[in-house]
Each structure stands twice: as C-alpha cells, then as structure tokens.
Amino acid sequence: MAKTIKVTDEFASAMQQLSAEAEKTLPEGLMVAESDDALTAPPPQDLDALNARLDEMENTLVDKIDKVLQRTPSGNGNGADLAARFQKIDEQLAAIRSSETVNQRLFDTLHDELLKYRDNFLHESLQKPFIHDLVHLYDDLSSLSEQVRSAAERESGLGHVAQWRDNLANGIHALMEILHRFEVKEIEAKETVDRSFHKVVSYEPADYPEEDGRIVMRVKRGFFWRGKLIRLEEVIAKRYG
C-alpha cells in the first residue's frame, strides 16, 4: 500500500512539473482576453515554436509515465512474484498445521495403545492366574459346602454340622464379593442349554420332546471376567430320544 502511494505522488509531481514547463513555453503575446472578442492570434513563428515545445512535452510526459509504470508492481513483475511467494508461504503454513494435527493424532493413538497394552499386561499376566485360583477355590468350597449340607440333613441332631454349613456359606459369599471386585461375574442361571455358555457333562432322559435341552442341575458355575468368558458352566440336561 505504501509503495502504491509513493508511485501516485511521483506521477502527480511529474504532471505538476510538465504544467510549469508549459506555462514557461507559452509566448507573451498568447493571452486570454477578459472578453470573448479580445482574442489575439500569435505570429506563425511562435506557433511553430509552440508545436515543437508541445511535442517535446509530450515525449517527456510519455517517458516519465513509462518510468512510473516500471516502478509499479504490475510494471516489473514484482507483484506477481510477491503473490507467488505469499501463496507458497500459505501452503507451507497449511502443511505445518496439517503435519502437527497428524502428529497429535498419531501421538494420541500410540498413547491409547500403550495404556491398553499396559492394562492387558497387568490383567492377563498378573490378575488372570490369580483369578483362576480364586475360581478353583470357589469350586472347592462349593463342593465342601454341598457335602456339609447333605451331612446336616442326614444328622439333624448335630448342631455343629449345621454351624459348619453356615460358616462355609458365609465364606463362599465373601469369596464371591472378592471376585466381583475383580470384575468376575457368574453366568446367570438359564432353563435350557446354550452352547455358548454351557458344557453338558451328563444327560437324563426326557419324556417329551419339549423337554429336550432343559437344564436339570448346575454342576459347576461358569464365569465372565471383564466381559469375556473364562469358563463354561457345567450342567446336567435332559435329552429326548
């Protein structure tokens, strides 16, 4: 913008200079009268000198205009070159912004994968064996509880057997609370066999076709851990035919 103002000032200065030179060139006899009928024509020799001077002024004016145009952005190509440089700078800035965005996404992705790897390592390598041990302990306590319950039913007069049964039931309940804190959950009880969750260890005959696949007894509990099946539930089911 400053360059454009400078060029305009130079052009105006050139025009003022040419106007001053024109005033000096006019002969003294060439004057404008105060009234329309007072015009006086200059001598022929003065007209020749005036024409020559006007031609010189015209040539001078053309030269000055050419010089002014050469100093403008459109005259010497600097404007196009400057615009191309600005375009290149914009493209480089856009590339930098795009690169930073891609790098940030890549960093976030790698960070998330690292966290998942860490969590999976902790769960799979450290917690999973411990959880399997807890599940086996649950199986052992459940089996012992069933034996004590049967003994208590047979020997109803022995109060200490009933006390053992209740103590075992409380221990199993506490163990289930520990498993829940480790995100371990039991497979919910179902009426019919689902091969995605059940393993049939024994069959009983069914009297009717609609009884086929009906679960008779849950032998060993199945469990999920963090939403994944870690053990099928063992059941006894009916089979028709």
Side-chain angles (χ1 to χ4, degrees):
M1 184 66 181
K3 190 172 184 180
T4 304
I5 293 174
K6 182 179 179 182
V7 171
T8 303
D9 293 342
E10 290 178 356
F11 182 78
S13 177
M15 294 300 296
Q16 291 175 358
Q17 181 180 356
L18 290 175
S19 177
E21 291 177 359
E23 292 178 358
K24 295 177 182 179
T25 306
L26 290 175
E28 297 178 357
L30 186 61
M31 300 176 59
V32 179
E34 295 181 357
S35 61
D36 295 339
D37 55 355
L39 294 175
T40 303
Q45 61 273 18
D46 293 336
L47 290 176
D48 293 339
L50 178 62
N51 290 332
R53 188 60 176 168
L54 290 175
D55 291 339
E56 183 180 354
M57 288 171 57
E58 183 180 359
N59 294 331
T60 302
L61 178 61
V62 171
D63 292 340
K64 289 183 176 295
I65 291 175
D66 289 340
K67 292 179 180 179
V68 170
L69 291 176
Q70 289 176 0
R71 286 195 292 269
T72 61
S74 59
N76 56 10
N78 290 336
D81 182 63
L82 189 60
R85 291 185 180 182
F86 278 128
Q87 179 67 25
K88 187 175 182 180
I89 292 174
D90 288 338
E91 293 175 356
Q92 291 175 349
L93 290 176
I96 292 173
R97 287 193 296 269
S98 177
S99 177
E100 290 178 351
T101 302
V102 171
N103 291 337
Q104 184 63 39
R105 288 201 301 266
L106 180 60
F107 175 80
D108 293 340
T109 301
L110 292 176
H111 184 260
D112 293 340
E113 290 181 356
L114 181 60
L115 291 179
K116 290 179 181 178
Y117 175 80
R118 183 200 64 183
D119 293 341
N120 290 335
F121 174 78
L122 291 176
H123 287 298
E124 295 292 334
S125 301
L126 302 179
Q127 290 186 359
K128 192 172 183 178
F130 176 67
I131 288 172
H132 278 288
D133 291 339
L134 291 179
V135 169
H136 291 314
L137 177 60
Y138 174 84
D139 294 338
D140 295 338
L141 291 179
S142 297
S143 177
L144 181 59
S145 177
E146 183 64 25
Q147 296 175 15
V148 173
R149 186 186 64 81
S150 299
E153 291 176 353
R154 291 195 306 267
E155 302 176 7
S156 57
L158 299 178
H160 62 277
V161 177
Q163 185 65 39
W164 293 344
R165 178 197 60 196
D166 295 339
N167 291 341
L168 277 174
N170 293 333
I172 293 173
H173 179 75
L175 178 58
M176 285 303 304
E177 290 294 331
I178 295 174
L179 289 172
H180 289 165
R181 286 199 293 270
F182 281 100
E183 301 180 77
V184 179
K185 296 182 180 180
E186 277 189 290
I187 294 176
E188 295 182 359
K190 298 181 179 296
E191 294 184 356
T192 58
V193 173
D194 185 343
R195 295 293 180 178
S196 300
F197 307 115
H198 299 130
K199 176 182 178 181
V200 180
V201 295
S202 179
Y203 288 98
E204 292 184 0
D207 297 330
Y208 304 98
E210 57 270 19
E211 293 180 344
D212 188 66
R214 181 172 297 175
I215 295 176
V216 177
M217 181 183 297
R218 301 171 72 191
V219 178
K220 187 178 291 186
R221 301 293 186 267
F223 292 93
F224 289 104
W225 177 50
R226 295 171 56 85
K228 297 179 181 179
L229 182 68
I230 59 174
R231 191 178 74 179
L232 293 171
E233 183 175 65
E234 297 181 3
V235 299
I236 297 176
K238 289 189 175 183
R239 183 166 59 185
Y240 180 78

